[in-house]
């Protein structure tokens, strides 16, 4: 019986805690540029990346909340300040009224709370994003590598979730037909395949055999970096977080991560100011003062961080959408300043503990 010869970059002997942990730590990122129907590797580096389903994360977070904390089908339609206590009052679409001591708007890019704070409405980029999952019943051969492929007016990212499931997303210039296909998965797949027709066969096959029910097509919204610099993100005992505060293009994959950072910083700032135990019996005036101090600290701590992320995503998107090569080169030159610490330097950020 003949011997079989295998070739691997790294071999780890032993499948215990150390062996498995070491294997999980060896992730790699590759950037590839499509030029004249040929893929050219522009960079390859080792970085730690993890991918999970948004639904799984939300379900896990929700399960750890007390019962009745989450109210489904409740849409906030208006917010105002109580004329007597100055605390927020919320009005819902079913006619209910909710009074709160602290109001935190995590209601996305079309945030009612953001509007009540006087924030400018987000703007739309001339880009749309298609996202989907592809399942390989016999397993895929992509390992744990994150691949980013850049073509003419399109960028596609592929990141395995496990040995059989792969997440992918494609950002492209908005065609006029976008509004017609957004709600029809098969049309989304068809237009995506047309967009990536010059990409490698394995990428085309991945999109062709994706789970159609997982497909989504959305326009990309953003808050301009200069708006984030001067925006009033809190007032009284109201503030915003997540996309309501800093919606940005998904080209860096940092929107969700930035939202988690917001949650940690905001919780920390509030817990440092909110009264506990016997001290809890304080006047509304003192409570408003403490909450305001906490929200001010939160906004000051987050402003430069989200401005940095927003600026990088904005410039990256402009490189894709700009019609002038001069404009593209200017954006690339500015990006070099942001990337002095490496292409993923924005991920090397510690927002602290709770």
């Amino acid at each position: 019986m003949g011997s079989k010869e295998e070739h691997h970059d790294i071999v780890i002997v032993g499948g215990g805690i150390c062996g498995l942990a070491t294997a999980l730590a060896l992730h790699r990122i590759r950037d590839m540029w499509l030029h004249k129907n040929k893929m050219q590797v522009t960079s390859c580096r080792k970085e730690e990346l993890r991918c999970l389903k948004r639904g799984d994360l939300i379900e896990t977070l929700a399960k750890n909340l007390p019962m009745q904390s989450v109210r489904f089908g409740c849409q906030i339609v208006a917010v105002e300040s109580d004329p007597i206590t100055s605390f927020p009052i919320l009005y819902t679409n079913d006619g209910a009224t909710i009074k709160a001591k602290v109001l935190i708007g995590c209601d996305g890019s079309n945030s009612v709370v953001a509007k009540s704070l006087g924030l400018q409405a987000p703007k739309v980029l001339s880009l749309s994003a298609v996202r989907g999952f592809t399942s390989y019943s016999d397993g895929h051969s992509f390992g744990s590598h994150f691949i980013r492929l850049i073509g003419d007016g399109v960028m596609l990212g592929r990141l395995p979730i496990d040995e059989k499931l792969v997440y992918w997303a494609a950002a492209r210039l908005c065609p006029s037909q976008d509004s017609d296909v957004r709600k029809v998965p098969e049309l989304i797949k068809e237009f995506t395949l047309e967009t990536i027709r010059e990409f490698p066969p394995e990428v085309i096959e991945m999109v062709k055999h994706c789970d159609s029910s997982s497909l989504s097509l959305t326009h990309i919204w953003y808050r301009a970096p200069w708006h984030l610099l001067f925006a009033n993100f809190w007032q009284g005992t109201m503030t915003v977080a997540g996309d309501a505060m800093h919606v940005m293009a998904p080209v860096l994959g940092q929107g969700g991560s930035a939202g988690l950072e917001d949650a940690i910083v905001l919780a920390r700032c509030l817990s440092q100011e909110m009264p506990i135990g016997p001290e809890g019996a304080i006047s509304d005036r003192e409570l408003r003062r403490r909450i305001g101090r906490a929200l001010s600290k939160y906004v000051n701590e987050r402003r430069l961080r989200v401005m940095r992320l927003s600026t990088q995503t904005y410039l990256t998107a402009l490189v894709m959408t700009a019609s002038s090569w001069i404009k593209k080169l200017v954006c690339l030159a500015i990006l070099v300043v942001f990337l002095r610490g490496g292409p993923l330097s924005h991920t090397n950020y510690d927002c602290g503990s709770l």
Side-chain angles (χ1 to χ4, degrees), residues 272-327:
Q272 291 171 350
E273 295 291 343
M274 297 291 274
I276 300 175
E279 189 186 354
I282 62 174
S283 66
D284 284 351
R285 180 178 180 181
E286 174 63 15
L287 183 59
R288 288 196 304 270
R289 188 182 69 83
R290 293 190 184 193
I291 294 171
R293 190 163 58 197
L295 299 185
S296 176
K297 184 177 180 182
Y298 154 70
V299 168
N300 289 338
E301 187 170 337
R302 294 301 295 157
R303 192 183 298 274
L304 289 180
R305 167 64 173 166
V306 298
M307 275 186 58
R308 199 269 194 199
L309 290 174
S310 179
T311 301
Q312 188 171 342
T313 57
Y314 179 71
L315 291 172
T316 303
L318 279 183
V319 171
M320 294 181 61
T321 60
S323 56
S324 165
W325 273 103
I326 295 178
K327 193 173 184 178

Side-chain angles (χ1 to χ4, degrees), residues 52-83:
L52 49 80
K53 286 186 175 180
R54 182 178 185 271
D56 291 345
L57 175 59
I58 290 177
E59 183 179 347
T60 301
L61 294 172
K63 281 183 177 179
N64 284 275
L65 288 171
M67 294 291 291
Q68 309 301 322
S69 293
V70 180
R71 187 179 303 180
F72 295 100
C74 178
Q75 181 180 353
I76 304 301
V77 295
V79 176
E80 67 178 19
S81 179
D82 189 307

Side-chain angles (χ1 to χ4, degrees), residues 32-297:
M32 306 179 73
W33 196 278
L34 182 65
H35 181 64
K36 294 183 179 179
N37 296 332
K38 293 183 179 180
M39 299 306 302
Q40 300 175 353
V41 178
T42 57
S43 68
C44 184
R45 54 198 180 276
K46 290 184 174 66
E47 298 281 354
E48 181 180 2
L49 285 176
R50 296 288 184 267
C51 184
L52 49 80
K53 286 186 175 180
R54 182 178 185 271
D56 291 345
L57 175 59
I58 290 177
E59 183 179 347
T60 301
L61 294 172
K63 281 183 177 179
N64 284 275
L65 288 171
M67 294 291 291
Q68 309 301 322
S69 293
V70 180
R71 187 179 303 180
F72 295 100
C74 178
Q75 181 180 353
I76 304 301
V77 295
V79 176
E80 67 178 19
S81 179
D82 189 307
I84 299 176
T85 66
S86 297
F87 287 125
I89 302 177
L90 297 81
Y91 300 96
T92 68
N93 59 339
D94 58 2
T97 299
I98 302 174
K99 294 187 176 183
K101 300 292 187 182
V102 181
L103 175 58
I104 304 167
C106 304
D107 45 342
S109 59
N110 193 29
S111 169
V112 174
V113 180
K115 291 176 182 176
S116 69
L117 289 172
L119 298 181
Q120 293 190 30
K123 296 182 178 181
V124 64
L125 282 167
S126 56
L127 285 175
S128 60
V130 177
R131 299 175 177 89
F133 293 101
T134 302
S135 180
Y136 296 80
S137 57
D138 297 325
H140 56 74
S141 59
F142 306 142
S144 58
H145 298 170
F146 170 57
I147 302 293
R148 184 164 54 184
L149 305 123
I150 304 169
D152 185 16
V154 61
M155 181 170 66
L156 184 142
R158 183 191 71 201
L159 181 60
I161 295 178
D162 55 34
E163 69 277 4
K164 292 186 177 181
L165 186 63
V166 174
Y167 167 75
W168 57 268
R172 59 176 185 168
L173 294 172
C174 288
S176 58
Q177 304 97 322
D178 263 12
S179 58
D180 301 325
V181 306
R182 291 178 64 185
K183 297 181 180 180
V184 185
E186 289 304 320
L187 289 180
I188 295 175
K189 181 188 295 188
E190 180 182 324
F191 275 94
T192 305
L193 288 170
E194 175 64 21
T195 301
I196 63 169
R197 63 185 181 277
E198 296 181 352
F199 276 53
E202 67 177 30
V203 175
I204 295 175
E205 288 299 307
M206 176 184 70
V207 174
K208 185 181 296 184
H209 298 293
C210 72
D211 178 3
S212 295
S213 65
S214 72
L215 288 174
S216 66
L217 171 61
T218 56
H219 290 293
I220 295 176
W221 297 85
Y222 73 101
R223 288 197 189 279
W226 49 92
H227 289 163
L228 296 177
L229 178 61
F230 301 107
N232 181 29
F233 289 126
W234 75 277
Q235 180 178 314
T237 61
M238 293 192 300
T239 191
V240 285
D243 281 353
M245 183 186 199
H246 47 67
V247 62
M248 62 186 76
V251 293
L252 298 182
Q254 287 293 293
S257 298
L260 291 173
E261 293 171 10
D262 292 342
I264 292 173
V265 176
L266 180 53
R268 182 174 64 239
C269 292
L270 283 171
S271 66
Q272 291 171 350
E273 295 291 343
M274 297 291 274
I276 300 175
E279 189 186 354
I282 62 174
S283 66
D284 284 351
R285 180 178 180 181
E286 174 63 15
L287 183 59
R288 288 196 304 270
R289 188 182 69 83
R290 293 190 184 193
I291 294 171
R293 190 163 58 197
L295 299 185
S296 176
K297 184 177 180 182

